[in-house]
Amino acid sequence: MLNQVGLQGEQAELLVKSFTESTEGVISEIKQEYDMETGNFKNGGAWDIRFNRIKQAALSNNMAVVTKRRGIWTFICVLDTDTGSLYIFSKEKNLEKVIKNFGKDKIHYFHAFVSINSGPLEFEEKQLSLFGTTLTEDYETKRLMEVQKILGEKYPLVNQVIFVVAQEVEKKMVGVEARLFNRYFELIDKVNWSMYVTMDDYSDLTITPEENKGDMEVIPKVKQSVKKLKEQFDQQIPTKKLDKANKKEENNS
């Protein structure tokens, strides 16, 4: 069961903090730096920041980091090689949406991952209350092949998959649970890790009195995580300064 093989307190705390720490400060800095008006990059950028933090936390605790791409989405999960527990990170509303589509033709990678977990005791002729039908042999074969494809050489190392699920209120993560499902996405065990969520982490910005008078946000100190992410953007997006320099060079030539 989860409470017997789950992470120890310090390891769980580091993963939860890296997952739930606010990304608003980093996103705001990038938005200002590149004068992005729409902010359409916020959701994907926020997950990039979270996954990078999770990766660093895992590596600092001698845990294996699994980075995989499925379609256009690249995600990171963490493998505890001592127990064979693979930790998948998700917001609760996203997980609930995936569970509702369980058993249908399209196999989400969550559907594939959960197939590793054991089934209920009444395995034969198990009727799934989630969607009112039994899983076909074809469906089971497809999701088994999918999880083997995703994990590759790490597949034999995984004994069970545990979902680290964040509850979100007004776009802030306020609670976290580690949940263990059986292969039919029925909850069989959970542990509350909400005590590791630091509410103060949601304030990456230092607000000044002048900021309240306008729409501009003032960030007097750039965090190291911001600098690293900005370096990635520098390789992909030309800054205003570079644009101006190029124009000036063209005019002088």
Side-chain angles (χ1 to χ4, degrees), residues 64-68 75-79 86 113 150-151 154 158:
V65 175
V66 182
T67 304
K68 295 296 176 179
F75 61 93
I76 283 178
C77 43
V78 174
L79 176 61
L86 183 70
F113 275 132
I150 293 173
L151 291 176
K154 288 186 170 60
V158 180

Side-chain angles (χ1 to χ4, degrees), residues 11-23 46-47 49-55 57 76 78 87-92 94 110 163-168 172-178 193 196-198 201-202:
Q11 291 176 306
E13 181 176 2
L14 286 174
L15 285 183
V16 170
K17 285 184 178 298
S18 63
F19 178 33
T20 60
E21 182 182 355
S22 174
T23 61
W47 273 106
I49 296 167
R50 292 188 192 102
F51 281 143
N52 183 63
R53 290 171 176 169
I54 290 169
K55 175 182 178 180
I76 283 178
V78 174
Y87 293 86
I88 311 294
F89 300 84
S90 175
K91 294 182 181 181
E92 187 171 48
N94 296 338
F110 285 4
F163 289 83
V164 182
V165 185
Q167 293 88 43
E168 193 175 44
K172 293 182 179 180
M173 296 183 182
V174 297
V176 171
E177 287 182 344
W193 283 350
Y196 300 135
V197 179
T198 303
D201 286 343
Y202 293 120

Side-chain angles (χ1 to χ4, degrees), residues 38-238:
T38 62
N40 292 330
F41 73 102
K42 289 181 64 175
N43 186 53
W47 273 106
D48 285 344
I49 296 167
R50 292 188 192 102
F51 281 143
N52 183 63
R53 290 171 176 169
I54 290 169
K55 175 182 178 180
Q56 300 308 319
L59 292 177
S60 67
N61 279 272
N62 298 318
M63 301 175 73
V65 175
V66 182
T67 304
K68 295 296 176 179
R69 184 177 181 88
R70 196 170 190 269
I72 62 173
W73 177 247
T74 300
F75 61 93
I76 283 178
C77 43
V78 174
L79 176 61
D80 182 355
T81 53
D82 292 335
T83 64
S85 297
L86 183 70
Y87 293 86
I88 311 294
F89 300 84
S90 175
K91 294 182 181 181
E92 187 171 48
K93 61 180 181 181
N94 296 338
L95 179 60
E96 290 176 348
K97 186 183 300 183
V98 171
I99 293 177
K100 287 181 180 179
N101 292 321
F102 178 57
K104 298 180 181 180
D105 292 337
K106 188 175 181 180
I107 298 177
H108 190 277
Y109 69 95
F110 285 4
H111 301 156
F113 275 132
V114 82
S115 68
I116 294 176
N117 295 343
S118 61
L121 296 178
E122 60 276 19
F123 181 80
E124 294 183 3
E125 303 297 329
K126 172 64 181 178
Q127 188 74 16
L128 295 182
S129 59
L130 290 174
F131 53 91
T133 186
T134 55
L135 294 178
T136 65
E137 183 177 348
D138 182 60
Y139 182 85
E140 289 285 51
T141 300
K142 284 182 178 179
R143 65 174 180 153
L144 178 60
M145 292 177 61
E146 186 67 24
V147 73
Q148 290 176 339
K149 178 182 177 181
I150 293 173
L151 291 176
E153 62 183 12
K154 288 186 170 60
Y155 175 74
L157 304 178
V158 180
N159 296 323
Q160 66 178 1
V161 174
I162 297 172
F163 289 83
V164 182
V165 185
Q167 293 88 43
E168 193 175 44
V169 176
E170 296 181 352
K171 298 184 178 181
K172 293 182 179 180
M173 296 183 182
V174 297
V176 171
E177 287 182 344
R179 300 179 185 177
L180 177 64
F181 298 90
N182 63 24
R183 62 184 298 106
Y184 298 120
F185 253 126
E186 296 170 321
L187 183 65
I188 58 177
D189 200 2
K190 67 179 179 180
V191 173
N192 190 344
W193 283 350
S194 298
M195 74 287 290
Y196 300 135
V197 179
T198 303
M199 302 307 295
D200 291 340
D201 286 343
Y202 293 120
S203 180
D204 282 350
L205 304 181
T206 300
I207 308 300
T208 66
E210 290 78 11
E211 184 178 1
N212 294 329
K213 297 180 181 179
D215 295 331
M216 291 298 295
E217 293 174 317
V218 178
I219 307 176
K221 183 177 180 180
V222 179
K223 297 173 68 174
Q224 188 62 33
S225 59
V226 177
K227 294 179 180 179
K228 289 182 179 180
L229 203 59
K230 283 175 61 181
E231 290 175 1
Q232 298 176 13
F233 271 82
D234 287 337
Q235 297 174 4
Q236 303 175 15
I237 306 174

